[in-house]
């Protein structure tokens, strides 16, 4: 405390816009989250039929902490034989014990999982931040509480399913193959496993290869919760393992969250089969800011929309559309606000923006930064300090972009915002709709009637009005157009796991 | 001097954008009755006809989806009224293709009743399948259903009237527009149904009916990048199923397969046929002062 008080610091703006240069002028005392209590084994095997088993080919791959590039642990690489074993275990469990348990009792297992997650919330949050690079504030306050909430919510549906489908007696589908991305590892696991189990299915889940840690921790928890063997199977591996799941004839349904490109490949490889599928794919969300919007709140909304989770959010608001009259004001305030963001150690409680999830993604985002400049856009990055090691990118915005620029059309999946203007509401709506995606959009205005008009006009599965990036288990989520098929969350999310 | 009157035979064309064009390709194929007598030269729709149909379906979408649910219900009911009026025409078309008089009557009755069934759903499905979601934060959060866009569909091959109507009604009652391929062997009732549509306040472009070869058009119905969903109710040959699914992945089309064997049966109508063509849109707004 005294150290920072006595230190003489003269205010030196690092950019013409940085009136509030918290990040490099104000020295925040480090506030690290203690992490020693979270146990990480040297090696994790596959979780099949209630047991941890070695991968059949004996191959393992390493997992890196993206904030310091240190190896955390290693995971087994599941090959065809392992996938087959997991599917068989899931089938046996589906036809055996799991289908004989009454829905009410089935629900209790899921409640139990929710409670155990709450008990161990801090441990999961720490591991999620270490493995994936997201700020502890987000894993602690957003990811893990939501994970527990999703299990808690769907647990209660187990014995009430006929109320979700008027006139029908819903039946489970069988064995569900589930493939999840690296941006919200445990949350996506919850989105997949909780409704699947509630509807009476069994699952084989593959987490992303860069973020498998919390899924394997979850496997331990499944054991602790006493779930019958084979109901939940978790196998690790990369794209090839995922393909083995997708193509396995013993699977009744595929649930995938990830990029639109991979989603298309999956949809294609399911061609001609009767497997059901849901796809939660990419997005290029637009934020439509009207002149009558409360500008300070809107700026905060923009920050939350694009810089939350390092921009690794499929529904991120990555295209800012500002009504012309307030464009300068919004951009100035936005640049000011950018300067206050702290990029750094994910386990530090001060950190706003953590590490880019992997080296590969770090390179992808950097390529887009170069591309934006090549396309003639004006780049602005905050001037904050960033750690020397690890994969960090300063929050970035591009102005002077046009609708046809690749940085405007393509999903970047990083802390990169493009800024455009519009004059009329119709133009704003049209620009917002002008991508193949349709996952989420935002609208800021003080006028309720305008919210409804603009919200109705935007073709996307989620509309955040005067807010952004909010999630809740009771609230359906999913895309229009090339952003996917089906919904997750809420009552609508049950449809993906039942025959009706 | 008495002369035998020559009856005027109908020329069967397709139905695109509220008009009745011939195929731009100039092609036709022969349609026979159950005794193998030639009854008509039907248009053999081409890829270009299909593209034109998608174009008009897309431009009709915002108007049709923007109609009030009440208005769409009125229009579906109006189709039923118009159809009731033209029973004789359908009798004349169903008889020669093997429907006994009583069967043809039952088919027409069921088709009319089906339109009324879906007319009734237009202003109710939103209430049954939409939701208000009790999120754990200070937000008002609701989910509503919205039509997915332009839908292509193969009408069932063996139920040229009732099956056709049963496929079209749930698509349009929910605000979508569509391009339908009529039964290949028995396309004539579909064109007469188009005349019913044309006289019943359905805006041009909302329903477009092509006649032609399923095998030829499956490729285009499934690969067009401005089509949002594709639907069929027959069991298709494996290679066509695979082709459709593979093409659908080009732009993540929704492929809806709801096999129906008996169009008179319990499973032939359902609000779930309607929700198949709907997207769920969830809106969040903060609550506070």
């Amino acid at each position: 405390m005294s150290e920072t008080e006595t230190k003489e610091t003269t205010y030196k703006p690092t950019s013409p816009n940085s009136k509030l240069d918290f990040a490099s002028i104000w020295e925040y005392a480090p506030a690290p989250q203690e992490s020693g209590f979270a146990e990480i084994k040297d090696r994790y095997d596959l979780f099949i039929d209630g047991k941890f088993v070695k991968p059949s080919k004996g191959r393992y791959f390493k997992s890196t902490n993206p904030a310091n590039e240190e190896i955390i642990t290693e995971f087994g690489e599941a090959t065809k034989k392992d996938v087959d074993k997991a599917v068989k275990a899931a089938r046996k469990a589906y036809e055996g014990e799991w289908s004989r348990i009454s829905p009410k009792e089935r629900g209790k297992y899921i409640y139990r999982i929710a409670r155990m997650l709450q008990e161990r919330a801090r441990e999961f949050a720490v591991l999620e931040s270490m493995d994936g690079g997201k700020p502890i504030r987000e894993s602690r306050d957003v990811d893990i509480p939501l994970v527990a909430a999703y299990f808690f919510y769907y647990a209660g549906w187990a014995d009430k399913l006929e109320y979700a489908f008027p006139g029908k007696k819903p039946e489970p589908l069988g064995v569900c193959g589930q493939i999840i991305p690296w941006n919200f590892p445990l949350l996506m696991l919850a989105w997949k496993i909780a409704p699947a189990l509630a509807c009476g299915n069994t699952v084989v889940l593959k987490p992303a290869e860069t973020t498998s840690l919390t899924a394997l921790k979850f496997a331990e928890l499944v054991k602790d919760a006493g779930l019958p063997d084979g109901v939940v199977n978790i196998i690790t591996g990369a794209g090839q393992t995922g393909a083995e799941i997708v193509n396995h004839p013993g699977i009744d349904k595929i649930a995938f969250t990830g990029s639109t490109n991979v989603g298309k490949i999956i949809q294609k490889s399911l061609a001609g089969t009767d497997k059901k599928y849901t796809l939660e794919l990419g997005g290029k969300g637009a934020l439509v800011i009207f002149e009558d919007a409360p500008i300070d709140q809107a700026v905060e909304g923009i920050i939350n929309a694009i810089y939350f989770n390092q921009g690794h959010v499929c529904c991120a608001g990555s295209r800012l559309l500002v009504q012309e009259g307030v464009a300068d004001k919004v951009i100035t305030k936005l640049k000011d606000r950018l300067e206050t963001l702290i990029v750094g150690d994910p386990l530090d409680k001060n950190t706003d923006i953590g590490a880019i999830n992997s080296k590969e993604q770090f390179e992808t985002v950097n390529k887009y930064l170069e591309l934006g400049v090549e396309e003639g856009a004006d780049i602005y990055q905050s001037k904050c300090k960033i750690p020397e090691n690890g994969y960090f990118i300063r929050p970035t915005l591009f102005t002077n972009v046009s609708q046809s620029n690749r940085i405007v059309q393509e999903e970047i999946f990083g802390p990169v915002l493009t800024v455009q203007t519009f004059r009329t509401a119709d133009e704003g709506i049209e620009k917002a709709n002008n991508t193949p995606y349709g996952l989420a959009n935002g609208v800021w205005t003080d006028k309720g009637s305008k919210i409804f008009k603009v919200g109705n006009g935007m073709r996307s599965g989620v509309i955040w009005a005067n807010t952004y990036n909010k999630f809740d288990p009771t609230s359906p989520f999913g895309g229009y157009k090339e952003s996917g098929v089906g919904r997750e969350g809420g009552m609508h999310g049950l449809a993906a796991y039942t025959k009706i | 001097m008495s002369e035998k009157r020559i009856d005027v035979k109908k020329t069967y064309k397709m139905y695109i954008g509220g008009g009745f064009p011939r195929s731009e390709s100039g092609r036709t194929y022969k349609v026979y009755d159950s005794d193998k007598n030639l009854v008509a030269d039907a248009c053999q729709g081409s890829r270009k006809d299909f593209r034109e149909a998608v174009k008009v379906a897309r431009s009709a979408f915002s108007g049709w989806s923007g109609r009030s649910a009440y208005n769409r219900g009125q229009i579906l009911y109006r189709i039923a009224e118009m159809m009731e009026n033209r029973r004789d025409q359908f009798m004349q078309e169903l008889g020669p293709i093997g429907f006994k008089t009583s069967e043809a009557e039952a088919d027409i009755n069921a088709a009319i009743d089906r339109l009324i069934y879906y007319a009734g759903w237009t202003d109710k499905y939103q209430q049954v399948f939409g939701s208000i979601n009790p999120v754990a934060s200070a937000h008002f959060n609701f989910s509503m259903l919205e039509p997915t866009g332009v839908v292509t569909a193969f009408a069932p091959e063996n139920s040229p009237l009732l099956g056709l109507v049963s496929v079209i009604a749930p698509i349009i009652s929910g605000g979508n527009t569509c391009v339908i391929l009529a039964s290949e062997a028995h396309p004539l009732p579909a064109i007469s149904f188009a005349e019913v549509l044309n006289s019943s306040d359905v805006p041009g472009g909302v329903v477009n009916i092509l006649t032609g070869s399923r095998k030829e058009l499956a490729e285009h119905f499934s690969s067009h990048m401005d089509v949002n969903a594709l639907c069929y109710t027959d069991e298709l040959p494996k290679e066509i199923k695979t082709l459709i699914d593979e093409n659908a992945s080009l732009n993540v089309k929704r492929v809806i397969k709801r096999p129906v064997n008996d169009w008179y049966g319990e499973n032939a109508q359902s609000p779930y046929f309607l929700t198949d063509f709907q997207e769920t849109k969830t809106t969040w707004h903060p609550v506070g002062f």
Side-chain angles (χ1 to χ4, degrees):
Chain A
M1 187 72 194
S2 56
E3 204 179 328
T4 46
E5 275 173 3
T6 51
K7 197 150 112 195
E8 285 218 9
T9 49
T10 46
Y11 178 63
K12 274 184 278 170
T14 51
S15 87
N17 294 296
S18 58
K19 294 180 193 69
L20 298 164
D21 190 354
F22 286 94
S24 58
I25 305 299
W26 286 27
E27 290 286 336
Y28 271 66
Q33 162 68 48
E34 208 266 310
S35 62
F37 66 96
E39 184 215 10
I40 304 176
K41 291 185 203 150
D42 293 341
R43 168 181 275 193
Y44 285 88
D45 289 320
L46 312 173
F47 184 67
I48 297 174
D49 206 13
K51 288 171 279 297
F52 286 94
V53 295
K54 295 199 181 318
S56 58
K57 291 234 162 110
R59 288 204 294 255
Y60 290 83
F61 60 93
K62 298 196 184 326
S63 187
T64 312
N65 178 341
N68 56 18
E69 300 173 59
E70 280 167 16
I71 307 293
I72 298 181
T73 180
E74 58 180 22
F75 299 105
E77 185 193 327
T79 49
K80 195 173 187 331
K81 209 169 155 191
D82 303 304
V83 172
D84 198 48
K85 224 158 93 181
V87 173
K88 282 199 177 115
R91 175 66 57 193
K92 197 180 80 195
Y94 175 69
E95 280 162 8
E97 202 174 342
W98 197 238
S99 61
R100 287 198 292 271
I101 292 170
S102 73
K104 182 182 75 174
E105 304 300 328
R106 204 165 72 212
K108 283 200 236 168
Y109 276 116
I110 309 171
Y111 277 125
R112 194 185 280 176
I113 292 174
R115 271 294 190 248
M116 293 177 82
L117 279 161
Q118 286 174 324
E119 284 163 5
R120 296 172 57 183
R122 187 56 60 95
E123 179 191 355
F124 274 104
V126 166
L127 294 174
E128 198 76 322
S129 282
M130 287 173 77
D131 196 29
K134 64 175 67 205
I136 185 73
R137 264 202 349 241
E138 289 174 8
S139 54
R140 185 194 64 196
D141 299 345
V142 183
D143 289 61
I144 309 302
L146 276 175
V147 169
Y150 271 84
F151 278 100
F152 205 83
Y153 173 75
Y154 277 113
W157 269 118
D159 57 356
K160 303 172 190 68
L161 291 172
E162 57 269 40
Y163 294 95
F165 303 101
K168 296 280 172 184
K169 284 216 174 307
E171 299 278 328
L173 298 172
V175 177
C176 301
Q178 307 181 316
I179 300 165
I180 58 168
W182 45 259
N183 56 344
F184 292 94
L186 200 60
L187 184 58
M188 292 300 104
L189 174 147
W191 284 27
K192 297 283 182 290
I193 291 184
L197 296 191
C199 294
N201 304 279
T202 58
V203 306
V204 175
L205 178 134
K206 186 194 88 67
E209 67 272 26
T210 61
T211 56
S212 297
L213 182 55
T214 45
L216 271 304
K217 274 277 165 194
F218 179 80
E220 293 174 6
L221 188 145
V222 165
K223 256 176 102 66
D224 294 347
L227 223 65
D229 291 347
V231 171
V232 171
N233 303 276
I234 292 174
I235 56 175
T236 44
Q240 186 54 41
T241 311
E244 299 290 357
I245 294 176
V246 170
N247 296 322
H248 197 288
I251 280 178
D252 302 294
K253 185 242 155 76
I254 293 293
F256 170 75
T257 296
S259 72
T260 292
N261 277 344
V262 177
K264 286 178 177 178
I265 292 167
I266 290 175
Q267 193 180 8
K268 194 173 175 187
S269 37
L270 295 174
T273 71
D274 290 321
K275 282 181 204 168
K276 285 187 73 165
Y277 55 87
T278 42
L279 306 169
E280 295 290 351
L281 309 179
K284 193 73 185 171
L287 314 167
V288 182
I289 315 282
F290 284 95
E291 282 166 0
D292 61 4
I295 298 298
D296 289 334
Q297 287 171 37
V299 167
E300 210 45 42
I302 297 164
I303 296 289
N304 192 38
I306 182 61
Y307 303 117
F308 176 61
N309 202 42
Q310 296 74 248
H312 301 331
V313 185
C314 49
C315 50
S318 50
R319 291 181 297 145
L320 174 60
L321 303 171
V322 200
Q323 202 163 18
E324 218 168 67
V326 291
D328 290 343
K329 191 170 161 192
V330 168
I331 293 168
T332 305
K333 280 177 180 272
L334 191 57
K335 286 178 175 172
D336 280 356
R337 180 67 176 89
L338 232 56
E339 295 300 335
T340 69
L341 293 173
I342 299 171
V343 180
D345 179 7
L347 283 181
D348 191 313
K349 292 166 193 162
N350 292 322
T351 295
D352 296 304
I353 296 178
I356 301 295
N357 185 267
S358 64
K359 186 159 187 247
E360 193 191 3
Q361 185 59 23
F362 179 69
E363 283 163 3
T364 302
V365 178
N366 275 319
K367 251 195 280 177
Y368 273 107
L369 296 181
E370 284 166 26
L371 179 70
V373 175
E374 274 169 34
E375 284 183 321
D378 297 328
I379 189 170
Y380 181 90
Q381 292 190 299
S382 73
K383 305 296 180 291
C384 65
K385 280 190 280 199
I386 55 174
E388 278 170 27
N389 296 322
Y391 314 126
F392 293 92
I393 292 181
R394 291 188 180 86
T396 305
L397 62 87
F398 279 110
T399 49
N400 191 23
V401 296
S402 69
Q403 201 67 9
S404 59
N405 283 161
R406 279 180 62 195
I407 52 166
V408 174
Q409 287 290 320
E410 295 174 18
E411 187 179 37
I412 297 175
F413 231 66
V416 183
L417 178 72
T418 63
V419 188
Q420 294 172 272
T421 59
F422 67 94
R423 287 184 183 173
T424 65
D426 285 342
E427 188 194 344
I429 294 169
E430 201 173 315
K431 280 185 168 164
N433 286 338
N434 188 18
T435 76
Y437 298 112
L439 191 50
N441 287 310
V443 52
W444 275 267
T445 164
D446 233 6
K447 201 171 171 192
S449 58
K450 205 188 278 181
I451 287 171
F452 283 111
K453 177 82 179 163
V454 175
N456 283 341
M458 295 198 293
R459 303 281 298 157
S460 65
V462 182
I463 304 290
W464 279 296
N466 293 329
T467 184
Y468 210 89
N469 268 340
K470 295 282 179 277
F471 304 93
D472 191 276
T474 66
S475 179
F477 180 91
Y480 285 38
K481 302 195 283 185
E482 293 190 19
S483 285
V485 180
R487 292 295 176 271
E488 292 181 295
M491 191 173 71
H492 298 82
L494 294 166
Y497 291 99
T498 49
K499 268 183 236 150
I500 47 160
Chain B
M1 192 167 103
S2 76
E3 212 175 333
K4 183 173 174 270
R5 184 174 182 278
I6 303 292
D7 57 353
V8 179
K9 284 222 181 258
K10 179 165 155 188
T11 303
Y12 286 88
K13 302 190 203 172
M14 301 194 294
Y15 184 54
I16 299 173
F20 290 90
R22 288 195 169 94
S23 170
E24 63 76 35
S25 66
R27 300 179 306 173
T28 56
Y29 70 101
K30 303 226 173 282
V31 175
Y32 298 97
D33 65 16
S34 47
D35 297 327
K36 307 263 191 290
N37 301 311
L38 178 68
V39 286
D41 289 306
C43 293
Q44 187 169 350
S46 67
R47 177 185 195 172
K48 207 168 164 191
D49 296 322
F50 170 68
R51 285 200 304 228
E52 178 61 21
V54 172
K55 203 172 94 187
V56 296
R58 174 60 65 194
S59 52
F61 177 67
S62 65
W64 181 242
S65 58
R67 298 276 181 123
S68 70
Y70 176 52
N71 183 243
R72 283 205 305 270
Q74 294 271 295
I75 290 174
L76 262 95
Y77 188 81
R78 180 75 179 156
I79 304 172
E81 286 181 346
M82 290 292 109
M83 205 165 159
E84 186 79 42
N85 233 3
R86 293 194 184 217
R87 307 179 68 90
D88 291 348
Q89 187 179 344
F90 289 107
M91 291 298 286
Q92 282 163 27
E93 279 159 354
L94 292 173
I97 56 174
F99 283 76
K100 292 185 199 124
T101 305
S102 62
E103 286 170 347
E105 274 181 355
D107 208 67
I108 296 162
N109 290 344
I112 294 168
D113 291 356
R114 189 131 302 156
L115 286 162
I116 292 171
Y117 174 80
Y118 285 108
W121 267 120
T122 58
D123 52 5
K124 296 170 191 70
Y125 73 88
Q126 190 73 257
Q127 289 180 304
V128 176
F129 297 99
S131 62
I132 292 179
N133 314 308
V135 297
S137 55
H139 293 91
F140 183 63
N141 178 277
F142 61 94
S143 297
M144 52 191 274
L145 275 62
E146 282 190 342
T148 193
V150 175
V151 179
T152 58
F154 300 138
E157 200 52 39
N158 295 323
S159 183
L161 181 63
L162 175 58
L164 171 92
V165 170
S166 304
V167 166
I168 293 174
I171 297 174
I172 62 170
S173 58
N176 300 281
T177 60
C178 58
V179 181
I180 310 290
L181 182 63
S183 163
E184 191 171 338
H186 312 298
L188 307 189
I191 299 307
S192 293
F193 182 66
E195 292 168 11
V196 169
L197 292 170
N198 196 42
S199 61
S200 52
D201 309 331
V202 180
V206 171
V207 180
N208 304 279
I209 300 178
L210 304 185
T211 53
S213 155
R214 189 185 272 185
K215 204 173 162 196
E216 178 191 334
L217 289 170
E219 167 80 35
H220 312 306
F221 269 54
S222 54
S223 63
H224 197 295
M225 295 298 272
D226 202 25
V227 170
N228 302 92
L230 179 145
C231 157
Y232 59 86
T233 54
D234 284 345
E235 194 51 57
L236 299 183
K238 170 98 175 165
E239 69 273 14
I240 296 194
K241 260 171 79 170
T242 307
L243 170 87
I244 287 172
D245 287 349
E246 284 187 352
N247 283 340
S249 72
L250 292 170
N251 67 336
V252 198
K253 268 184 202 70
R254 284 71 172 134
V255 181
I256 290 121
K257 314 166 193 177
R258 283 222 185 241
V260 176
N261 299 319
D262 173 14
W263 285 106
Y264 300 95
E266 273 282 290
N267 295 324
Q269 64 182 22
S270 157
Y272 294 97
F273 282 106
L274 198 156
T275 56
D276 278 343
F277 305 100
Q278 301 287 310
E279 299 285 351
T280 303
K281 176 186 272 183
T282 301
T283 303
W284 293 68
H285 195 281
V287 173
F289 292 104

